[in-house]
Amino acid sequence: MQFKGRDVIAVKDFSKEEIIHILDEAEKMIPAAKGLTRLKTLEGRILCTLFFEPSTRTRLSFESAMQILGGGVIGFADPSGASVAKGETLADTIRMADAFGDVIVLRHPLEGAARFASEYASIPVINGGDGAGQHPTQTLLDLFTIRQAKGKIEGKKVILLGDLKYGRTVHSMAYALAMFDVEMIFVSPRGLEMPREVIRGLSSIGVTPLETNNLQDVIQDADVLYVTRIQKERFADIEDYLKVAGTYRVDLELLKNAKKDLIVMHPLPRVDEISREVDATPHAWYFKQAFNAIPVRMAILKLVLEGEGP
Ligand code: NCD
């Protein structure tokens, strides 16, 4: 397995064995992530975070992960404060990050932006979300969370609920779950179904998820309910958004029909798709999931910068 110098653009670029290795490395990062031990693994190395779209968890957890490993962080959270506002191209911004840092995390509204950036950078580029495309590091921490909660990923029944059309987390997640022989069910409002391109990609490897618009019909024997918000910012027409807004909601009433040990996950931010009353139930795993961003992103940074070994 060769991680040093690798870009992290899409889940599909990694084998199942490589994914498991990242999760195992993340496991080892937990004591440091919790502040119980100190590390200098990446001392003197610099992470450059280039965020052209809003972010709380992805940017802050990458920055925190880098600092826990002893490294430094530069970058911007809003392109209006960077030379992009003067008309600089993405390619030139990437060239600068390449000169000033050791690894780049890029979030950008255009699908394919991370892949494009990786062609201009000699240092590793990590995709922190490219439009409605992919969000591979979110998927790694999602898999880590399922394994933590359930002991294993294989054989579980996982519902992906919400905006499957524009949600990049579910695109990456679907490809990853397919590698783990998971029974997947896609539940979305009409018009926000999983893109046919993803369905075709899954069927080419022999995976055919059940697709439905009705959560009630499938909740009973699910092990994981992965909820997403409607990606309002990706709708060309606000009228189309208003037609689907508020059409699904996970609440105590719905969970009465679920398995006792069903875990509810969400990449966050949530809007109204998980009722606040669910937070206090053992089903709620979304805040633990958010914490897992730290050990998993620590493992990713360490692997792409240092590779294997102590
Ligand atoms: C997600 C994203 O940006 O795709 N957020 C995250 O990184 N945790 C999900 C979302 O914005 O809905």
Side-chain angles (χ1 to χ4, degrees), residues 57-58 107 135 138 168-169 229 231 233 266-269:
R57 275 148 294 272
T58 303
R107 170 168 288 187
H135 197 347
Q138 177 70 43
R168 53 195 171 201
T169 64
R229 79 181 165 92
Q231 309 280 302
E233 68 275 28
H266 193 309
L268 303 175

Side-chain angles (χ1 to χ4, degrees), residues 55 121-122 166 198 209 221 235 283 285 289-290:
S55 169
S122 62
Y166 296 117
V198 176
D221 49 359
F235 283 70
H283 296 296
W285 267 73
Q289 179 187 358

